[in-house]
Amino acid sequence: MSVQSEPLSANDLAPPSAPALNARANLLRDRSLRLVLGLLGLVVLLAAWWLGTDVLARPDSFAARFSPTATLPALGELLKGSDLPLHVMVSLRRVLVGLAIALALGVPIGILVGTSRFAEAATTPAFQFLRMISPLSWMPVAVMVFGVGDAPIYFLIAFATIWPIMLSTAAGVRALDPQWLLLSRSLAATRWETLSRIVIPGILGHVLTGARLAIGIAWIILVPCEMLGVSAGLGYFILDTRDRLAYPELMATILIIGLIGFALDSLARALVRRFAPGQA
């Protein structure tokens, strides 16, 4: 059985138009410029670090122990062979579990608040009150309730990250086109069909944006949360390097925390661009 392909049209064979080529060139030039400026900013930051610890500080001062000339070799040693990969994986697992809890609770609550004015009026004061409490202030309470281990860290990360997810979800529900909801009613769609076919696809961009904000918050509060007496994680590793007076390793761990956080945010931005280009 032979398959005949459709003949190519003149539009398919025609070269790209001049406006399309100019748009591609401008986009490429803009991306290249942003890359160069970003690298330049990192170079300036590294130079300021070097000036502050190696040039302006006295060689016998405490600040000189955190210089990049000592930190970068320590970073290479940590990456070549140590317990650092274990601490990184433990920290990433805690962030993912805390975010999963926040998503499982924040998205349904956000949908409820966004669709019901009664629920919004009843919950807004309480949610705004809780949202303004620093998650780290709950650390003693979390330890007393959940004990020492991963459970209080999961609670603290979930408590800190549920708010951007919930608020973004509610904003996405309110931004839905009412015509789509009227269409679902006119077609006698069930609540589940309306939710799965209209509401969830329509708010996906807002949910991903809230998740991106939540990732940044989770990664910021992770390190102090891991100083609750656990025996693994990047926060624990920082305390360990401090106790061993291994200051170059301490600074190297801080660099690793920044690099991983940057990678997580880049991944979140890529997901937003992929599934919700309008929200990027």
Side-chain angles (χ1 to χ4, degrees), residues 20-125:
L21 291 176
N22 291 334
R24 293 178 184 177
N26 291 334
L27 180 60
L28 181 60
R29 184 165 54 249
D30 182 65
R31 289 180 177 177
S32 301
L33 179 61
R34 290 176 62 87
L35 177 61
V36 171
L37 291 177
L39 293 176
L40 181 61
L42 292 176
V43 171
V44 171
L45 181 62
L46 181 61
W49 180 16
W50 175 73
L51 286 173
T53 56
D54 287 79
V55 177
L56 300 179
R58 298 192 309 271
D60 57 344
S61 65
F62 192 73
R65 304 180 185 183
F66 302 95
S67 69
T69 55
T71 299
L72 295 180
L75 177 62
E77 293 296 325
L78 287 177
L79 294 177
K80 283 193 297 186
S82 67
D83 294 333
L84 183 62
L86 171 64
H87 296 296
V88 170
M89 295 305 298
V90 170
S91 293
L92 288 176
R93 185 197 69 208
R94 288 168 177 159
V95 168
L96 290 177
V97 172
L99 283 174
I101 297 173
L103 283 168
L105 296 176
V107 173
I109 296 175
I111 293 175
L112 175 63
V113 171
T115 54
S116 173
R117 293 183 178 180
F118 177 80
E120 179 185 7
T123 59
T124 295

Side-chain angles (χ1 to χ4, degrees), residues 135 139 162 251:
M139 291 174 65
I162 191 174
M251 286 300 299

Side-chain angles (χ1 to χ4, degrees), residues 44-235:
V44 171
L45 181 62
L46 181 61
W49 180 16
W50 175 73
L51 286 173
T53 56
D54 287 79
V55 177
L56 300 179
R58 298 192 309 271
D60 57 344
S61 65
F62 192 73
R65 304 180 185 183
F66 302 95
S67 69
T69 55
T71 299
L72 295 180
L75 177 62
E77 293 296 325
L78 287 177
L79 294 177
K80 283 193 297 186
S82 67
D83 294 333
L84 183 62
L86 171 64
H87 296 296
V88 170
M89 295 305 298
V90 170
S91 293
L92 288 176
R93 185 197 69 208
R94 288 168 177 159
V95 168
L96 290 177
V97 172
L99 283 174
I101 297 173
L103 283 168
L105 296 176
V107 173
I109 296 175
I111 293 175
L112 175 63
V113 171
T115 54
S116 173
R117 293 183 178 180
F118 177 80
E120 179 185 7
T123 59
T124 295
F127 286 162
Q128 292 298 330
F129 172 78
L130 292 173
R131 189 171 69 91
M132 291 303 169
I133 299 176
S134 170
L136 300 182
S137 64
W138 292 97
M139 291 174 65
V141 178
V143 172
M144 289 186 290
V145 173
F146 298 102
V148 177
D150 290 339
I153 299 177
Y154 295 154
F155 166 77
L156 293 171
I157 293 177
F159 180 86
T161 57
I162 191 174
W163 310 115
I165 295 172
M166 184 185 68
L167 295 177
S168 296
T169 302
V173 173
R174 298 188 194 102
L176 286 174
D177 190 349
Q179 297 298 326
W180 289 105
L181 299 176
L182 290 176
L183 178 61
S184 68
R185 293 175 184 174
S186 64
L187 296 176
T190 63
R191 289 187 177 182
W192 171 248
E193 290 173 339
T194 303
L195 181 65
S196 60
R197 302 292 180 86
I198 295 178
V199 176
I200 292 180
I203 66 174
L204 182 59
H206 289 80
V207 173
L208 290 177
T209 301
R212 180 192 171 190
L213 296 174
I215 289 174
I217 296 173
W219 196 247
I220 289 173
I221 71 166
L222 172 70
V223 171
C225 288
E226 288 184 331
M227 297 178 180
L228 290 175
V230 296
S231 59
L234 291 171

